[in-house]
Amino acid sequence: MLIRQHKGLKHFSNKFPFSHSLYVSKAVPQTQVDFEYDGPCMKTSVPGPRSQNVGAINFFCNYEESRGNYLVDVDGNRMLDVYTQISSIPIGYNHPALLKLMSNPNNLSTFVNRPALGILPPETFPDTLTDSLLSVAPSGMTRVQTMACGSCSNENAYKAMFIWYKNKERGHNTPSDEDVSTCMVNQAPGCPDLSIMSFMGAFHGRTLGCLATTHSKAIHKLDVPSFDWPIAPFPRLRYPLEQFTRENAQEEARCLEEVEDLIVKWRQKGKPVAGIVIEPIQAEGGDNHASPNFFRSLRNIARKHGCAFHVDEVQTGGGCTGKFWAHEHWGMDDPADIVSFSKKLLTGGYYHKDELQAYRIFNTWMGDPSKNLFLSEVLNVIRRESLLEEVARSGRALLNGLYELQAQYPGILSRARGQGTFCAIDVCDDATRTSILLKARNKGILLGGCGERSIRFRPALIFKEYHVHLFLNIFNDILAKHK
Amino acid sequence: MLIRQHKGLKHFSNKFPFSHSLYVSKAVPQTQVDFEYDGPCMKTSVPGPRSQNVGAINFFCNYEESRGNYLVDVDGNRMLDVYTQISSIPIGYNHPALLKLMSNPNNLSTFVNRPALGILPPETFPDTLTDSLLSVAPSGMTRVQTMACGSCSNENAYKAMFIWYKNKERGHNTPSDEDVSTCMVNQAPGCPDLSIMSFMGAFHGRTLGCLATTHSKAIHKLDVPSFDWPIAPFPRLRYPLEQFTRENAQEEARCLEEVEDLIVKWRQKGKPVAGIVIEPIQAEGGDNHASPNFFRSLRNIARKHGCAFHVDEVQTGGGCTGKFWAHEHWGMDDPADIVSFSKKLLTGGYYHKDELQAYRIFNTWMGDPSKNLFLSEVLNVIRRESLLEEVARSGRALLNGLYELQAQYPGILSRARGQGTFCAIDVCDDATRTSILLKARNKGILLGGCGERSIRFRPALIFKEYHVHLFLNIFNDILAKHK
């Protein structure tokens, strides 16, 4: 018996009270997720009495009772989850397809015997990769390296770029004795003064290599030694993008010019840029977008200067922008040299071009085949239920709703923006944002913040138009009553 | 039906051919592992025809058919595994206790719904920690932070030491505006010039922070930018340790003096040492031991100079030295400020003193509760079957066997050493080591190398005296025939 029956777990129409609401008259599609609940249901404020507040912990959860888009806490509060564990739940909680996978005795061994994948992979691993990660490989890429988390993915991608760059530089000859002896004591030329270019507002992880390319919040970086690597400005665009094309193009041109200047400057400093790393949408940094043209130009600059181009899709990858990879929106055949991922992909890792193959990328586990097993099934569900189209549809409804709300509450909301359901909106100030996020949570809507005063929307791929309207109604109520 | 029946899976006495063997006359204990095979069984050379050799891959495995101490490959070769996935399998393959855990429907949710542990932990997580990691917490430590792998554990442990050190330095006051603004662009004082002291021959992982403290093989470090951090000499001792106490004590005193000199020198350079990181036995670097007195003195030096003391138990932890933590052999009440782990613990992470608590240590997953679930059960098995005592017993038999073999083959073997089953022996040169490792594999014994010419023994905790004698007999045959 895989899925236990729950009270309130049934097909449902309009039972949820859409009172005082802008959206009450809208035709809400009846299609929703058949294994989940019929709406939020709050019993206490959150965190409730059974949640202890420790450090950064928000509240304790009852994952057994959580279903689909609904996260249930230890006090029995049931919340519509528009944040999904920092954007890492692809198809909702307790999806029947994933539970079924667990009940297949052929899969047990994959959970119980974790291999050292780099030396002793399971017989089935090549097929598992073909069914999972390689079936969604970005354009131009046929190779993938799994890793245990997002930070390790980026750390190892950086290493692959350094190794590739130095190999080029020494004409693919064997390293010198001096290279070999100096690297053992952290000195050049063995440990060369190479750099990775990143962007202000970027987030690429918190281990020491990643952290040198992360520039979203001081609290991430303070007190930790770093590298003198170049940091380019990320375009600060005006939204909606299509209303400000000329100003935005100017801003992007300014940033691209700075990118080239920095590449030259760092080469002259003796710290050449081996690779450029960028998010298709800066997430932690405040959901900052740039145009396809900006990314195409950046990719060309990287190629011109002999730098590898690394697209970090840890938060944007996996379908939430309406395409499986956000960089597919750029419309290029050859968009990147390296694409890293984690979160919704359930395993970390990176795709890379053949020439960035580095057999020296290695650690004990190098990923976890049990996560690839789940990913195969997630991809089956995405295909079977056409979830990318669903995301595009829900995303349009969400962004249109946010446009309406910011028109109605111009003193509170501004700069609605998004791609698919990967949306955000700015609040007038940080204090108001905190207040709205807490009110939303107590009304059964779980949201996250990003940047200095943005709210970010990161629902699962099964977040349907129905859920969009449910959210918009509650959110509208909160805004209407906000003082 | 959890455990399928296999041919050859039965209680067994002396069917395996102990011919031409030094150990044939030994009384081999009849106790072995009741769910495993009766010995190695080779059908082809390894890698066999069904294994493809790609990059660093040794061969492909059939984990479904592997049992206890025996790893089965895709060609049906069954090998006694004395390497255990780079020392990461605690109680053998397909242990019935772990398979049983998978069949409990109450556990399904933990596998299917991976939380962002730092903000939304499962209700049961505090209890799971109490049952698993906290039940084996090192002396003086009540706090633990889980992480996804060994590298992330050390990276975050280093960050915790940096944050702790700077907090002390600024008298626990809030950081200045200059700290906050400079850290965003990787500059001091916000990103301070602090250092971590490590030892020549050390291995602490391969991400950029860890790699700056790793000095075991050039291939790990070549082409990757690093930090100018101090590297102290690790004692080069003579074995058996008890025969060379005076020379070894002198060598250790020399290294300790150098440690203090480097701490002073790096402080003068403006890159003070925030923490010292060391393995209780240098593993990758060649199984280099030091005395309890060396470690006690080092811990005192760290305290004297205000540096945190970080013991990296990623490879030594989990029982293989005959105690749960290798540093317990030092006999101290207050051995460390931070103890990191991974591998046999199935999850990464680190224990730390209260004062090294840093709420800024954070990432999306911060570990994986499903691994803690397995760990709880592994710990139950260790206790129920008194596996630490078994390891001590098997370890004595193994080390004594290695002493006998090196006495018999002094031209090939030397420097046998070990603690528990965490043993090693040197081979006369690297080519001979490679030849012996391949011959052993084709005779059904899977071993690993470390350092320049050592063979390392890293069996599971269920490696009994029976398996030791089985190994010694085959190994003796190989050595006897070695040309």
Side-chain angles (χ1 to χ4, degrees), chain A residues 177-475:
Chain A
D177 290 349
E178 195 192 3
D179 286 339
V180 170
S181 62
T182 53
C183 81
M184 292 297 281
V185 288
N186 299 12
Q187 302 298 319
C191 293
D193 253 342
L194 295 177
S195 61
I196 301 287
M197 174 182 278
S198 55
F199 289 81
M200 275 313 293
F203 183 91
H204 300 292
R206 298 163 183 254
T207 47
L208 268 65
C210 294
L211 199 56
T213 59
T214 285
H215 318 279
S216 48
K217 286 193 191 116
I219 203 171
H220 302 152
K221 292 176 69 75
L222 190 71
D223 303 337
V224 183
S226 195
F227 290 103
D228 178 28
W229 290 352
I231 308 156
F234 191 87
R236 304 292 293 174
L237 302 189
R238 299 186 64 185
Y239 301 92
L241 296 176
E242 51 281 11
Q243 272 181 36
F244 299 95
T245 30
R246 204 170 50 89
E247 297 94 315
N248 287 344
Q250 276 174 359
E251 166 66 357
E252 292 187 337
R254 179 186 76 82
C255 293
L256 291 168
E257 200 177 319
E258 183 81 2
V259 164
E260 286 215 66
D261 286 352
L262 287 169
I263 292 174
V264 172
K265 203 171 151 193
W266 251 256
R267 193 189 299 138
Q268 285 164 351
K269 274 172 91 162
K271 301 178 179 183
V273 176
I276 299 175
V277 62
I278 196 161
E279 298 153 276
I281 303 167
Q282 282 192 339
E284 285 292 321
D287 272 35
N288 303 316
H289 292 248
S291 73
N293 185 58
F294 172 80
F295 289 106
R296 286 196 296 258
S297 304
L298 190 63
R299 203 272 179 272
N300 289 335
I301 289 172
R303 197 186 278 111
K304 173 181 161 192
H305 290 276
C307 316
F309 190 58
H310 171 181
V311 179
D312 177 348
E313 292 252 21
V314 167
Q315 188 152 166
T316 49
C320 46
T321 68
K323 293 190 185 285
F324 197 86
W325 301 109
H327 73 257
E328 292 174 48
H329 292 283
W330 307 344
M332 299 174 80
D333 289 338
D334 183 29
D337 298 307
I338 291 214
V339 173
S340 56
F341 55 83
S342 188
K343 290 189 185 263
K344 280 197 178 58
L345 280 290
L346 304 178
T347 172
Y350 64 90
Y351 298 94
H352 60 88
K353 294 235 164 125
D354 283 3
E355 58 181 293
L356 275 113
Q357 176 74 27
Y359 291 114
R360 294 201 270 131
I361 299 297
F362 190 83
N363 62 42
T364 299
W365 287 321
M366 299 188 88
D368 183 342
S370 73
K371 307 300 182 190
N372 292 66
L373 211 56
F374 281 132
L375 177 60
S376 294
E377 198 49 40
V378 165
L379 296 176
N380 286 339
V381 171
I382 290 176
R383 290 182 193 113
R384 195 166 62 225
E385 303 184 4
S386 305
L387 289 184
L388 296 186
E389 289 85 338
E390 288 275 4
V391 166
R393 197 177 305 126
S394 303
R396 275 191 300 274
L398 178 57
L399 193 56
N400 285 332
L402 294 176
Y403 284 148
E404 289 183 44
L405 286 173
Q406 78 183 9
Q408 203 182 351
Y409 306 101
I412 307 176
L413 300 179
S414 64
R415 300 179 79 237
R417 56 207 183 271
Q419 207 161 40
T421 55
F422 196 106
C423 291
I425 195 160
D426 277 14
V427 182
C428 49
D429 55 59
D430 184 28
T432 307
R433 172 175 67 175
T434 303
S435 158
I436 288 176
L437 289 177
L438 289 177
K439 284 178 186 170
R441 193 164 75 181
N442 286 326
K443 292 268 187 187
I445 303 284
L446 206 54
L447 291 164
C450 67
E452 284 171 19
R453 52 192 183 88
S454 302
I455 291 175
R456 60 175 153 175
F457 301 90
R458 297 292 186 274
L461 306 178
I462 55 163
F463 193 78
K464 308 291 177 78
E465 274 190 273
Y466 168 86
H467 302 98
V468 171
H469 292 299
L470 205 160
F471 155 72
L472 288 171
N473 277 305
I474 297 175
F475 203 53

Side-chain angles (χ1 to χ4, degrees), chain A residues 86-119:
Chain A
I86 321 178
S87 204
S88 68
I89 301 287
I91 53 171
Y93 298 103
N94 286 306
H95 196 289
L98 302 185
L99 290 169
K100 189 175 169 195
L101 180 154
M102 294 287 301
S103 72
N104 182 343
N106 292 335
N107 292 331
L108 287 184
S109 160
T110 304
F111 289 93
V112 168
N113 305 298
R114 187 175 188 178
L117 268 179
I119 53 171

